[in-house]
Amino acid sequence: MRISIIGMLLGGILACAELTSAAPPIRVLLLDGEQAGAYHAWQETTPYLKRMLDDAGIFQVDVVTAPARGDDFSTFKPEWGKYQVVVSNYDAPDDRWPDSVKASFEQYIRGGGGLVSVHAADNAFANWKEYNLMIGVGGWRGRNEKSGPHFYYENGNLVPDPAPGFAGSHGARLAFKVVNRVTDHPITSGLPKEWMHVGDELYANLRGPGENMTVLATAFSDPANRGTGHDEPILMVISYGKGRIFHTVIGHDLAALNCVGFITTYQRGTEWAATGKVTQKVPRDFPSADTTSMRREYDPPAGWTSPGARPRPPSK
């Protein structure tokens, strides 16, 4: 009996020690809203983006939806400082946010806050200088050569091409191969050098300042699918002051979000943007250089059809 009681006490002490030593969850603000039109249905994708972070087991996520076009922005005052990282699933023109909100966001990131830009979030705020410094490159909403060079990878180097042209294009949603250019970054460490992403929009012709930007992965924009013929940035990290930014251009819709490659890099990128490190392991079902990989628990609901089925035209 005495041995049993001692064992119980030791077990209780160890359990309490484990609870005490467990790291507190990473606080995440998931921002969505606006995006008029049928191209990017944030109402559909936000629940999936939140669930992916919840499933990682290390995040605590609050969703904040910005006012719609024409609504009152006077009460839109996100408490950025409560969070370690902001995940943006938000696209809107420059004039939506009051200057005070822009200033508070700049201060938050510059002071060490994290940012994750998902897919069309790099379409937003084309003329907000500091936002474009945060995301490195972006597309559409009037961006052109005045916004910065078109960045692409060639012969092992990142090329800033200043040639005139509109920013932002993509072809039909086909599967494509992602090539990791930096394999020792915490986000890409341990991932296959090459892996297949499911059918998605392969963003190309992205332009911007590209300052303090490291391209982690690229994909070939095939001219046979309205592409540029260049290896275009797919995953990037950018520093802005003390802030860390992870920028992923993939993830157009529910079908694209279902890629294990997207899920893994998104979860790891969010942890890195928040903390500067990655503790999550590479899953066994990560795609290979020849085979895509999806998870049934993230399948789109029955009867779902993707919005914006036709290729999006370039900006004009």
Side-chain angles (χ1 to χ4, degrees), residues 30-307:
L30 177 48
L31 177 69
D32 66 11
E34 183 116 357
Q35 179 50 55
Y39 284 118
H40 300 111
W42 54 266
Q43 298 91 337
E44 292 183 353
T45 56
T46 285
Y48 278 61
L49 292 172
K50 181 180 185 300
R51 181 179 170 189
M52 289 171 189
L53 296 182
D54 290 340
D55 288 349
I58 60 173
F59 302 102
Q60 180 178 329
V61 185
D62 292 338
V63 177
V64 172
T65 300
R69 178 181 180 180
D71 286 353
D72 181 13
F73 272 79
S74 64
T75 59
F76 179 62
K77 299 177 181 179
E79 297 182 75
W80 313 115
K82 290 175 56 178
Y83 303 92
Q84 292 165 264
V85 60
V86 173
V87 173
S88 180
N89 189 30
Y90 178 71
D91 172 22
D94 294 282
D95 60 356
R96 291 297 186 264
W97 287 13
D99 288 343
S100 59
V101 176
K102 290 183 177 180
S104 67
F105 189 67
E106 292 170 14
Q107 183 179 13
Y108 164 73
I109 301 295
R110 191 181 294 113
L115 172 64
V116 175
S117 174
V118 179
H119 193 60
D122 69 16
N123 296 184
F125 306 123
N127 296 301
W128 180 5
K129 177 183 175 181
E130 301 306 312
Y131 182 79
N132 285 288
L133 286 169
M134 293 178 201
I135 63 171
V137 289
W140 292 279
R141 293 201 181 275
R143 287 181 173 89
N144 56 28
E145 69 275 6
K146 295 179 182 178
S147 307
H150 166 207
F151 285 90
Y152 53 83
Y153 224 81
E154 186 172 81
N155 297 324
N157 296 303
L158 186 63
V159 177
D161 185 349
F166 295 109
S169 64
H170 65 76
R173 277 170 243 158
L174 305 177
F176 54 83
K177 181 177 291 186
V178 176
V179 178
N180 289 326
R181 302 293 180 171
V182 179
T183 58
D184 59 354
H185 190 276
I187 297 172
T188 54
S189 178
L191 302 184
K193 173 70 174 177
E194 301 180 352
W195 51 277
M196 287 298 296
H197 179 46
V198 301
D200 197 355
E201 294 178 342
L202 198 169
Y203 273 11
N205 282 315
L206 297 184
R207 292 178 175 271
E211 296 180 15
N212 304 310
M213 178 177 74
T214 300
V215 174
L216 300 181
T218 63
F220 180 66
S221 180
D222 193 341
N225 187 28
R226 298 178 38 153
T228 61
H230 293 300
D231 290 309
E232 301 282 346
I234 296 296
L235 306 177
M236 292 152 275
V237 290
I238 305 98
S239 60
Y240 178 84
K242 296 180 181 178
R244 289 177 296 270
I245 296 92
F246 172 61
H247 181 172
T248 175
V249 306
I250 54 180
H252 171 78
D253 58 12
L254 299 188
L257 294 184
N258 196 7
C259 174
V260 176
F262 173 85
I263 297 167
T264 302
T265 54
Y266 167 61
Q267 291 171 329
R268 289 163 69 94
T270 303
E271 182 181 6
W272 175 83
T275 69
K277 59 183 180 180
V278 172
T279 61
Q280 301 168 76
K281 305 299 183 183
V282 179
R284 293 183 177 181
D285 59 345
F286 197 88
S288 70
D290 305 308
T291 308
T292 59
S293 177
M294 293 165 284
R295 291 183 180 162
R296 295 199 62 180
E297 61 264 36
Y298 293 112
D299 282 347
W304 175 84
T305 56
S306 178

